[in-house]
Amino acid sequence: PGMIGGWIANTGELYDSKSGAGFIGAIVTGFLAGYLVQWIKKVRVPKFVQPIMPIIVIPILSTTVLGLFFIYVIGRPISWLFENLTEWLGGMTGASAAGLGIILGLMIAFDMGGPVNKTAFLFGTGLVSKNPEVMGMCAAAIPVPPLGQGLATLIRRRFFSEQERETGYAALFMGFFGITEGAIPFAAARPARVIPANMLGGAVAGAVAGLAAVKDNVPHGGPIVAVLGAVDGVAMFFVAVVIGTAVTGLATVALLSLGKGAGAGAKAPAPASAAAAAPAKAEPALVGAGAGAGADTGAGTGAGAGPVGAASPSPSVSPSDSVGAPDGEPEVLSGYLTGQTVKERLNADGRADEDGKVAAIREMAELLAGTGKVTDTDELVRVALAREEQGTTGLGEEIAIPHAKTDAVSAPVVGFARAPEGIEWGALDGTKAKLVFMISVPEAAAGDEHLRILALLSRKLMDPGFRQRLQDAEGKAAILEILAEIQ
């Protein structure tokens, strides 16, 4: 239903519009599909119908209802808005060039291929033969969002994941060819920060092109049209594009910096470091942990709760590479968890606010630092909190497993601590975290070893009796003896 609904939203011809609702309309439709399916699932049906509900009834019914609703209820207003925006722009051709350029630039950069963008673009296209200056304003603004986002990934690489940095290179390439949609992955991941930055740069580029009377004689934009000789006033066209790109790139970095702790060594969460459309390696969920089992991508299967769909293996640290447990201590998780990394009670215990989780993660990081395997405690905290921004690691059933993949640790290390009163961790089942495990692995071990540790923990923590014994154990020795059962 979500896929077909998104296609309908993006296909304006289905509801008499020259432009579809774009990626924003598709996202809205996806949410509508989810809530509609959830509602249908709550309807009680006879037992003989239940087996076909998820494979026939729900998909067909929800797709039909959603499609008709979008075409006849939501689509008509979109068509009306498109027509009136075009009429409004047509009445502005006598306005100041800079003012019109600002408006067109804002519209071009707003939804990157959606109805607002297409309204401005088609308006400029319709005036190519009569007033090519209008298309010149559009052409200068069109490449700014992807070029600006690509520039941002180069200016502040640490604000972005490796996947996003690769997407940044693609965005630069797409921007050169005038494909505004190259910025969509960034806008979908952080709309409140990226879209305003895109619009600011687009408005500046449109205004500069308008003031310089740049002309574009073809219905397209981006540096490629100037390179191929379709632009009059090439020098000022590139000036407009460069200034707009710089504004968007710098505004993006500034807005990310104003977010929760961007930057090395920050103590608050960094911006989410995975594009919405491109999740990173899959991780096992905690089977039997209620709604919280979906906190990480991936799934547990059966009692094993092993990793599913993990990316291609990266170099990992084998158990033999670990330091091992001190003499007399039971070896836990290949020696990654020792008496040094166990704390009987967190100081943050009983905190019911979001800062309680932050304090607990910092406390756990400082606990791990005592092993000598942590080279930068602040960076470890930053990466762990950035992971929380992507989705809570409070798995439900009073368990939290914060984790970080960072070169701030020299070898895999795992910590465990208890919080008898519980710490608010944002678990979907509403329970507070009383058993907290923290996993930290170097980037080189982020594939196999990270997933192996998560799988082992998930498998054992499914047992309510095991969890209760962990909570009741007195002293580190007793805790370690119970944890040694994790195999």
Side-chain angles (χ1 to χ4, degrees):
M3 181 181 68
I4 296 175
W7 175 78
I8 290 173
N10 200 45
T11 308
E13 294 88 344
L14 294 173
Y15 41 91
D16 300 326
S17 175
K18 295 181 181 178
S19 174
F23 86 100
I24 292 179
I27 289 175
V28 171
T29 308
F31 277 107
L32 290 175
Y35 283 112
L36 179 60
V37 168
Q38 186 181 45
W39 178 78
I40 295 174
K41 286 173 65 177
K42 293 179 179 179
V43 177
R44 295 190 176 186
V45 297
K47 280 190 175 182
F48 72 90
V49 179
Q50 290 177 2
I52 65 171
M53 286 294 289
I55 58 175
I56 297 177
V57 178
I58 292 178
I60 293 177
L61 180 61
S62 56
T63 300
T64 302
V65 171
L66 183 66
L68 293 174
F69 177 77
F70 199 95
I71 291 173
Y72 292 105
V73 179
I74 300 179
R76 299 297 182 186
I78 290 176
S79 178
W80 176 87
L81 177 64
F82 175 85
E83 293 171 0
N84 282 272
L85 278 174
T86 304
E87 183 178 344
W88 175 64
L89 285 173
M92 289 194 63
T93 52
S96 70
L100 182 58
I102 290 173
I103 293 172
L104 291 173
L106 290 170
M107 295 175 68
I108 288 288
F110 172 65
D111 55 358
M112 293 152 282
V116 178
N117 170 286
K118 283 296 188 288
T119 296
F121 177 77
L122 294 177
F123 174 70
T125 299
L127 293 175
V128 164
S129 59
K130 299 177 182 179
N131 191 355
E133 287 90 348
V134 175
M135 192 63 216
M137 302 172 199
C138 296
I142 283 171
V144 166
L147 292 178
Q149 294 307 315
L151 177 63
T153 64
L154 299 177
I155 296 175
R156 285 290 185 272
R157 294 178 62 83
R158 70 176 184 272
F159 286 6
F160 302 90
S161 67
E162 182 179 350
Q163 177 65 41
E164 287 178 315
R165 291 195 290 268
E166 292 177 2
T167 303
Y169 292 126
L172 290 171
F173 181 80
M174 295 171 76
F176 177 82
F177 286 94
I179 304 174
T180 317
E181 288 83 350
I184 286 179
F186 299 95
R190 307 179 182 91
R193 300 175 192 177
V194 170
I195 292 178
N198 287 347
M199 293 175 68
L200 184 60
V204 170
V208 172
L211 287 171
V214 171
K215 299 179 181 179
D216 181 10
N217 300 294
V218 296
H220 196 63
I224 186 66
V225 295
V227 171
L228 295 178
V231 171
D232 297 335
V234 173
M236 287 307 299
F237 172 80
F238 277 108
V239 168
V241 171
V242 169
I243 294 176
T245 298
V247 168
T248 288
L250 294 173
T252 299
V253 169
L255 290 173
L256 291 179
S257 300
L258 292 174
K260 296 182 179 179
K267 296 184 181 181
S273 57
K281 298 179 180 70
E283 297 171 353
L286 180 62
V287 178
D296 283 331
T297 52
T301 304
V308 178
S312 57
S314 58
S316 63
V317 178
S318 66
S320 61
D321 294 329
S322 62
V323 175
D327 291 341
E329 279 190 4
E331 187 168 284
V332 181
L333 293 173
S334 305
Y336 300 149
L337 194 157
T338 66
Q340 276 187 296
T341 60
V342 170
K343 192 165 188 176
E344 294 185 59
R345 181 166 185 164
L346 287 169
N347 296 329
D349 186 23
R351 294 282 293 271
D353 56 344
E354 181 70 12
D355 290 337
K357 177 169 68 173
V358 175
I361 287 177
R362 173 160 288 279
E363 201 173 335
M364 293 293 292
E366 291 170 351
L367 178 67
L368 300 184
T371 64
K373 297 178 183 179
V374 179
T375 58
D376 188 338
T377 305
D378 285 340
E379 177 64 6
L380 174 57
V381 173
R382 187 193 72 79
V383 174
L385 292 175
R387 172 60 186 83
E388 296 293 327
E389 284 284 291
Q390 296 176 8
T392 180
T393 56
L395 302 184
E397 303 289 352
E398 302 180 334
I399 299 166
I401 309 182
H403 42 276
K405 311 169 197 175
T406 172
D407 289 330
V409 295
S410 58
V413 58
V414 181
F416 168 72
R418 297 185 301 192
E421 294 182 30
I423 300 171
E424 179 56 51
W425 217 278
L428 295 181
D429 68 353
T431 61
K432 294 182 180 180
K434 295 184 178 181
L435 302 176
V436 181
F437 290 85
M438 185 166 182
I439 304 171
S440 302
V441 297
E443 286 286 352
D448 296 346
E449 201 62 12
H450 172 70
L451 294 171
R452 187 181 74 86
I453 296 170
L454 269 175
L456 290 171
L457 286 175
S458 299
R459 181 181 300 122
K460 196 62 181 176
L461 289 171
M462 286 174 9
D463 181 2
F466 177 82
R467 299 197 300 268
Q468 189 61 50
R469 285 190 292 123
L470 265 184
Q471 292 189 32
D472 296 340
E474 295 183 4
K476 287 187 179 181
I479 292 173
L480 283 171
E481 186 174 346
I482 296 171
L483 289 174
E485 298 174 19
I486 301 175
Q487 295 179 0

